[in-house]
Amino acid sequence: MSLFLSVLSGLAAGIISGMGIGGGTILIPALSIFLRIDQHVAQGVNLLYFIPTAIIALIVHIKNKSINYKLALPIVLLGIAGAVGGSALALVIHASVLRKLFGGFLFLMGIYEICKKNPQKQKK
């Protein structure tokens, strides 16, 4: 059963990643809730999973000329700095606290997505 859940989690996360939403929103909860994997390990697995999916997405977006390099460069540099800081911080936070922080983040992002204004609706 755990192999089936792993495969299903990976497939769902891949589909979500391909849509540009971020597979971690599916993968981390699936690993920690259904497979009972520690939050730190689930986040590590998500980071490892992210590398090949990001490379594929990057190749597709470069091919389609849909990258604004001027905008991307500072975001990438600050993202690297944030990843280093966040990784160091995650190592000192207990897994239960980390799980709650991640859950709170997902909750707030869900509320934001529900409440944000749709620019296409405003034009009509």
Side-chain angles (χ1 to χ4, degrees):
M1 184 65 163
S2 108
L3 177 63
F4 175 73
L5 287 173
S6 297
V7 169
L8 192 60
S9 299
L11 181 64
I15 291 169
I16 296 295
S17 290
M19 294 171 26
I21 297 170
T25 56
I26 296 290
L27 193 58
I28 293 173
L31 291 174
S32 61
I33 295 169
F34 300 122
L35 298 174
R36 306 223 187 282
I37 293 175
D38 183 69
Q39 184 73 19
H40 290 95
V41 175
Q43 287 183 225
V45 168
N46 179 61
L47 291 173
L48 189 59
Y49 147 86
F50 177 76
I51 293 168
T53 57
I55 290 169
I56 297 298
L58 185 60
I59 291 168
V60 169
H61 286 292
I62 288 172
K63 250 182 164 175
N64 291 331
K65 297 182 172 127
S66 59
I67 296 177
N68 180 337
Y69 291 99
K70 276 186 174 180
L71 180 64
L73 184 61
I75 292 172
V76 167
L77 294 176
L78 290 169
I80 290 170
V84 169
S87 296
L89 184 62
L91 289 175
V92 298
I93 297 176
H94 193 271
S96 64
V97 174
L98 197 56
R99 189 177 311 112
K100 289 174 186 170
L101 289 172
F102 184 70
F105 170 75
L106 289 179
F107 178 75
L108 291 174
M109 291 307 297
I111 295 297
Y112 170 78
E113 287 297 319
I114 289 169
C115 296
K116 78 177 182 180
K117 294 186 168 95
N118 187 343
Q120 292 177 344
K121 285 184 180 178
Q122 289 179 344
K123 290 180 183 178
K124 291 180 181 179

